Amino acid sequence: MTRWQKSANILPAISYLPVPSAGLETLQEEAPMARMLWKLIVFAFICIPPIMASAEVVPPATYPRPPYEDDKPVIPAPALKLEPSFKAPETYRDGWYVGFGLGTGSGTYTENGSSGKMRGWNSASTHDFPVRYLNFKLGKALTPRILLGHDMSVLRTHSDTECYSTELIVTNYNLVATIYPWKKGFYLRSGGGLSLLLHRDRIPGHHMKKDAGANVLTGLGWAVPVGKSFTMTLGADYSMQRYGGGKGKPNSSQVVAGWVGFDWY
């Protein structure tokens, strides 16, 4: 039985409650409504407390809040290391190296007090071919900045006449030191050694003259890395040769050349 049912059964029982006889008889005779008021007052004292108890607000049950994505620990992203989109590879110079170059140049030639350009030395030539320059080197890297090795360079001129052709060839056999002041890129080189001048006229009887001498060489250039062990080289050289001289023999020559080459370390 609920609290409301119990409270409803109390109302009929109120009429049987003992009340003072004098007062009750007076109420019945003088004021019929007073008796009803008395019953309501008694009913209020007996029924209202159970009703108020049943009306108590029960707090809702609490449950733990479900985890959200924001509750996860924030892990900072690793810092990005920005690098240039292109970076030239570093060339590591160590041990032995070998290289070669091809190019062109110009030279002068002095003999018996007369001098002139090697190309077109034969005044009777009808066609002068381009001057060709060849460079070959082999050596050792003492440090990443200093190289020391053998350097051979050849300058060749060729001209034709109606009857024969003429060749002038200057060959240098040098010991050359190459220095990279900033370890890469720009370089300087210098050295010296022996020289050989070949003067050949391709005529019946095959006339040819050879003269030996000495030379000094200096040059500069720029090395462009194309890999860990390779570089492309842009170079310019100047060399001056001295020979024995005498009647019918050369006195000196000078060579200026520019070339493009590759070196392997």
Side-chain angles (χ1 to χ4, degrees), residues 68-88:
Y68 294 102
E69 202 138 329
D70 296 340
D71 296 337
K72 295 180 180 179
V74 179
I75 302 175
L80 297 177
K81 185 178 180 182
L82 300 178
E83 295 183 357
S85 57
F86 173 78
K87 184 179 179 180

Side-chain angles (χ1 to χ4, degrees), residues 60-116:
T62 57
Y63 300 94
R65 183 174 64 86
Y68 294 102
E69 202 138 329
D70 296 340
D71 296 337
K72 295 180 180 179
V74 179
I75 302 175
L80 297 177
K81 185 178 180 182
L82 300 178
E83 295 183 357
S85 57
F86 173 78
K87 184 179 179 180
E90 295 258 347
T91 300
Y92 185 68
R93 301 183 189 92
D94 187 21
W96 295 92
Y97 69 89
V98 61
F100 70 94
L102 296 173
T104 187
S106 178
T108 59
Y109 177 64
T110 303
E111 181 179 340
N112 296 330
S114 299
S115 62

Side-chain angles (χ1 to χ4, degrees), residues 209-244:
K209 295 189 300 183
K210 291 181 180 181
D211 294 280
N215 79 91
V216 292
L217 176 143
T218 184
L220 53 83
W222 191 274
V224 180
V226 293
K228 186 176 180 179
S229 301
F230 290 90
T231 58
M232 183 178 71
T233 307
L234 307 175
D237 291 339
Y238 169 79
S239 61
M240 182 173 60
Q241 296 78 27
R242 292 290 183 181
Y243 307 101

Side-chain angles (χ1 to χ4, degrees), residues 109-188:
Y109 177 64
T110 303
E111 181 179 340
N112 296 330
S114 299
S115 62
K117 292 185 177 180
M118 290 185 180
R119 185 181 184 184
W121 174 258
N122 187 350
S123 58
S125 65
T126 57
H127 179 69
D128 294 326
F129 291 89
V131 179
R132 297 175 182 175
Y133 184 79
L134 170 68
N135 173 270
F136 175 80
K137 49 193 172 183
L138 174 67
K140 184 175 177 60
L142 304 180
T143 71
R145 297 175 183 267
I146 301 175
L147 312 179
L148 182 65
H150 167 70
D151 188 282
M152 183 183 74
S153 59
V154 180
L155 181 78
R156 177 181 179 269
T157 65
H158 181 198
S159 60
D160 284 344
T161 67
E162 295 180 356
C163 301
Y164 63 95
S165 62
T166 300
E167 284 182 324
L168 282 175
I169 302 174
V170 177
T171 305
N172 295 327
Y173 303 92
N174 294 331
L175 182 67
V176 174
T178 304
I179 300 175
Y180 289 83
W182 298 284
K183 195 176 179 180
K184 58 182 179 179
F186 178 74
Y187 69 84
L188 296 169

